[in-house]
């Protein structure tokens, strides 16, 4: 297990003395502190549970096309009554279009 000492937020966890001594024994056998051992074992479990929760919340993963149709603008636009040329050229036509 790779161990890098970095600043972390403290999360107090109350366990029995027997359980802590067993944790300490196993962590010493691995060659890491107890906190790093617990973090290493808990992170994959929590990540897997979080992934399950997110998938359950969203139902299914949305494709970009589904997302675009869901959040497409369906209201009136400012220039709805004008043609593209009137929007681009301010109502003035080019000499070749007259």
């Amino acid at each position: 297990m790779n161990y890098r000492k970095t600043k972390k937020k403290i999360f107090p966890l109350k366990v029995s003395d027997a359980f802590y001594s067993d944790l300490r024994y196993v962590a010493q056998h691995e060659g890491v502190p107890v906190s790093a051992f617990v973090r290493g074992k808990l992170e994959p479990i929590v990540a897997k549970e979080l992934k399950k929760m997110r998938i359950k919340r969203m139902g299914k993963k949305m494709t970009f096309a589904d997302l675009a149709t869901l959040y497409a603008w369906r209201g009136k636009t400012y220039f709805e009554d004008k043609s593209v040329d009137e929007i681009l050229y301010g109502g003035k036509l080019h000499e070749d279009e007259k």
Side-chain angles (χ1 to χ4, degrees):
M1 183 183 283
N2 293 336
Y3 170 68
R4 277 187 268 148
K5 190 171 186 173
T6 57
K7 275 192 162 183
K8 301 281 182 184
K9 289 184 178 182
I10 296 175
F11 177 70
L13 183 65
K14 198 168 202 170
V15 295
S16 67
D17 291 337
F19 183 64
Y20 182 75
S21 64
D22 293 343
L23 272 176
R24 188 176 57 186
Y25 178 75
V26 174
Q28 285 176 350
H29 182 69
E30 294 277 328
V32 294
V34 175
S35 60
F37 178 78
V38 170
R39 228 182 354 260
K41 298 296 181 184
L42 282 180
E43 280 181 15
I45 295 169
V46 171
K48 187 167 57 170
E49 288 297 318
L50 183 64
K51 185 177 179 183
K52 283 182 193 176
M53 289 169 62
R54 285 184 178 158
I55 288 173
K56 188 176 183 181
R57 183 182 64 179
M58 289 196 52
K60 65 174 185 136
K61 289 193 175 184
M62 296 180 75
T63 63
F64 183 71
D66 295 338
L67 189 69
T69 55
L70 181 64
Y71 294 107
W73 176 260
R74 293 186 181 99
K76 291 186 175 183
T77 60
Y78 183 72
F79 296 112
E80 192 165 307
D81 57 338
K82 295 184 180 180
S83 68
V84 175
D85 289 331
E86 289 175 330
I87 294 170
L88 291 176
Y89 306 116
K92 300 176 185 175
L93 297 175
H94 284 281
E95 292 298 322
D96 58 347
E97 294 179 355
K98 288 183 179 178

